[in-house]
Structure formats: C-alpha cells, structure tokens
Amino acid sequence: MVALTTWTVDRPALGTRCRLRAYLPEPGQRSEEEPEEDLEDAGPDAVLDLLDDLDRAWGPGGELEALARVPEGRRTELSWDTVLLLGRTEPPGLALDVPGHAATRTGPVLLPDVETRHALAAELLCCELMDAGALAARVDVGAYRSSANRGIRAVFAD
C-alpha cells in the first residue's frame, strides 16, 4: 500500500476556471514501476508553468491570435504547444511545419475555437501530471475535463 497526498490548484487561465487535482505518493513512497521523474522532484510549478505557457500562447493577445495577423506567405515560429493544437485541428489558411515548430500563412486563417483550446489544454495538463508521477489526475478547464490513473480508482470530490 502506498500513502497518498492530494494536490489541488484552482485558478483562472485561458479565460476560464482551471482546476487541477492529483493523487501523489507521499515522499519516499514511489514504487519501482513509476517514472524516475515525479511531481515532487519537478515540483508542482512545472505543471503550473505549462498552464501559464498555454495561457500566454492561446489566451487573449497570445501567439495564436498573432498568427492570424501575420502577412500571407510569412513563416512564423511557434511554441510546441501551439504546434500540437494546430496539428490536431488543421485550420485552413496555414501550412504547418511540425519538425520546425512553425507555420506559414497561406490565406485567411480560421483559428481553433475556445472550446477546442480548453479541451486540449485539459488533456495536456492531465498528461503532464501523470508524467510527473501522479497516480491519478483530473483536470478541468472550463467545461472540459480530462482524467487519468495508474490502475487505481480515484474519487475526486467536487
């Protein structure tokens, strides 16, 4: 049996409420099956840094909105998170260069809507918590929720 601690953050980002929750092994309780990196080593700040990065890139005035104002034919370097979003949504008006972390505007751009941004942000943040050693995680970004676990049944009280 592994002793667990609960980690919860509730704050605004991406124009909505974001709530991140995770069950973490208490210090010294990590099993050999879990990844070497854990949330305690990386610190919760690593997950919050990703939330801040997404807010800056996809929020009001971020690189996503700036991309729509770039002149046609111009190549623009993008953050990896924005490349993931554009790769998933394939918006018209952009030629995406995934290995180069860039996009070239080819015409009028239809950016991914706010709901799509929220859904992908929830998924990315949940994955980040699990990669950081959480045994279970649940992330809500606006109306969108992503959850994952490592074979434990987790109950998150709302």
Side-chain angles (χ1 to χ4, degrees):
M1 184 140 91
V2 175
L4 298 176
T5 185
T6 305
W7 180 82
T8 303
V9 171
D10 196 345
R11 66 183 229 198
L14 296 165
T16 191
R17 174 182 172 247
C18 299
R19 188 166 193 199
L20 295 79
R21 288 164 279 194
Y23 285 116
L24 309 164
E26 290 207 5
Q29 295 292 313
R30 187 169 52 89
S31 73
E32 292 178 18
E33 299 165 5
E34 293 175 43
E36 287 299 315
E37 176 186 22
D38 62 23
L39 195 58
E40 195 170 337
D41 292 340
D45 292 340
V47 177
L48 297 178
D49 287 346
L50 175 58
L51 179 58
D52 290 340
D53 290 346
L54 295 174
D55 192 37
R56 277 189 297 274
W58 302 352
E63 77 176 344
L64 196 58
E65 286 183 4
L67 187 59
R69 295 187 302 271
V70 169
E72 198 169 316
R74 181 178 288 168
R75 178 183 164 89
T76 305
E77 289 189 23
L78 303 168
S79 68
W80 179 241
D81 302 317
T82 299
V83 170
L84 287 173
L85 175 66
L86 297 175
R88 170 114 18 125
T89 58
E90 300 179 349
L94 291 175
L96 191 60
D97 173 12
V98 175
H101 293 198
T104 302
R105 185 142 169 239
T106 60
V109 177
L110 180 60
L111 296 174
D113 61 29
V114 171
E115 289 81 13
T116 301
R117 297 177 208 181
H118 290 174
L120 187 57
E123 188 177 323
L124 289 172
L125 291 161
C126 190
C127 287
E128 185 75 13
L129 283 168
M130 295 304 291
D131 288 348
L135 298 179
R138 185 166 95 180
V139 175
D140 298 302
V141 178
Y144 294 88
R145 172 174 290 163
S146 182
S147 59
N149 69 67
R150 295 188 198 283
I152 69 167
R153 184 179 171 122
V155 178
F156 292 97
D158 285 337

